[in-house]
Amino acid sequence: MLSPADTAQSLVKGLEHKVKMPIVSIIFLSIMAGGSIAMGDIFWAHSTVGVAEASSPGIANFLGGVAFSVGLIMVVFFGGHLFTSSLMSGVSTLDHKLSFSKTIFYWFIVWIFNFVGAALVAYMYYKAQLPLKYDGQILHHFLEMGVAKNNLSFEAAFIRAIFCNVFVCMAVWAATGASDAAGKVLSIVLIIAAFVGSGYEHVVANMFIFTEALLAKAYYLNEAGGTIQALAEHSHIAAAKLEEFTFLNIIPNNLLPVTLGNIVGGLFFVGVVGFMSHKTDMKK
């Protein structure tokens, strides 16, 4: 296992390398990372269906957290570019090793193509009819979750996102410091299970959830005859909330505050604090 200073050194060099990769590589590895997080979401949904009702919400949260961690494991082992963990590259910008414009452009590209990957997996998952298993419980759950996330206050979404990315970036930090594959997996699983089980907000996971929820809305609208009022009666969700749940609204209502919160949690709470605290030892 690496020391905290050696881990910070290894992580910062790896992130600088990622920012400087060819744009085509960044795009493909960002799509891969978004798709991996989406597949972690799918495993989470299938692992927890009915568990809360049959056992307890706590057990469902724990199982879901462990299942979801598979997404980040795939990202780490394949070298994917995930927006939330990539935010720590901003430390190199503050240390004048990367230009501000290059870092912001890198973040923007990763965010966009994480969305592409997450949305692509969501569509393929929907077309495979897998959300309709278990009498459609999974598809309906995505609709409920998407509407609920769309109705979070800016403050709540922002703060939950800060907590989320402290856990995600610490998981990547711990995995970087682990000396073998088993240590990396265990580091990721335990820390990510804590984030998911606590109900925090991850912007890339939300990209998948919102896409699936919008597909679910379209499906249930067709089933209910095409009117919001009929859908409200069918889904037991308030018509006003369903009316508000559109692609144009999810960005300002959730993805924006969650993106900002993830930046604060990853860049400042982990990145700046961690790297600056160990900077002297890193130089040695």
Side-chain angles (χ1 to χ4, degrees):
M1 177 177 172
L2 298 177
S3 70
D6 287 338
T7 301
Q9 186 84 291
S10 177
L11 194 53
V12 74
K13 286 183 178 179
L15 289 167
E16 287 174 15
H17 170 73
K18 281 190 167 186
V19 175
K20 295 175 182 177
M21 287 177 74
I23 186 66
V24 174
S25 298
I26 294 173
I27 288 173
F28 278 111
L29 289 172
S30 296
I31 293 172
M32 171 269 164
S36 295
I37 295 300
M39 286 187 277
D41 264 321
I42 292 170
F43 189 24
W44 156 79
H46 284 253
S47 299
T48 59
V49 61
V51 175
E53 294 80 4
S55 181
S56 74
I59 292 175
N61 289 336
F62 178 77
L63 290 176
V66 171
F68 177 81
S69 67
V70 169
L72 187 60
I73 290 170
M74 290 194 289
V75 172
V76 169
F77 278 83
F78 198 72
H81 292 244
L82 182 64
F83 178 76
T84 45
S85 57
S86 295
L87 291 167
M88 289 187 288
S89 63
V91 171
S92 295
T93 305
L94 298 175
D95 206 26
H96 308 294
K97 293 178 180 177
L98 291 172
S99 70
F100 178 78
S101 59
K102 189 173 185 66
T103 302
I104 294 299
F105 177 72
Y106 171 70
W107 288 357
F108 176 75
I109 292 297
V110 173
W111 194 98
I112 291 294
F113 286 98
N114 278 176
F115 206 155
V116 171
L120 178 62
V121 169
Y123 180 73
M124 293 172 66
Y125 173 59
Y126 174 77
K127 294 300 287 184
Q129 299 184 351
L130 286 170
L132 293 173
K133 291 180 69 177
Y134 313 110
D135 297 324
Q137 288 184 58
I138 295 175
L139 188 64
H140 190 268
H141 183 62
F142 276 121
L143 178 59
E144 289 181 326
M145 179 172 283
V147 171
K149 285 179 178 289
N150 190 54
N151 281 275
L152 276 177
S153 69
F154 190 104
E155 180 184 48
F158 177 74
I159 295 173
R160 292 183 191 187
I162 293 174
F163 279 115
C164 162
N165 217 21
V166 169
F167 280 98
V168 172
C169 290
M170 281 306 304
V172 173
W173 184 298
T176 302
S179 57
D180 56 23
K184 293 178 186 296
V185 169
L186 188 60
S187 299
I188 293 170
V189 169
L190 292 177
I191 298 174
I192 295 302
F195 130 56
V196 176
S198 300
Y200 300 134
E201 294 287 312
H202 187 281
V203 67
V204 182
N206 285 2
M207 291 170 179
F208 168 81
I209 291 168
F210 280 129
T211 304
E212 202 62 43
L214 287 168
L215 290 169
K217 178 183 176 182
Y219 173 83
Y220 286 123
L221 264 175
N222 182 63
E223 290 286 300
T227 67
I228 290 292
Q229 191 57 49
L231 174 58
E233 294 173 4
H234 181 270
S235 63
H236 305 291
I237 300 172
K241 291 182 178 180
L242 288 167
E243 191 79 51
E244 179 76 9
F245 184 54
T246 65
F247 179 77
L248 292 179
N249 286 335
I250 63 172
I251 295 176
N253 290 356
N254 183 277
L255 296 183
L256 175 60
V258 171
T259 296
L260 295 175
N262 284 166
I263 291 172
V264 173
L267 175 57
F268 296 104
F269 279 61
V270 178
V272 172
V273 171
F275 290 110
M276 296 309 171
S277 298
H278 297 293
K279 193 171 184 180
T280 302
D281 289 336
M282 287 167 66
K283 288 181 178 179
K284 291 178 182 178

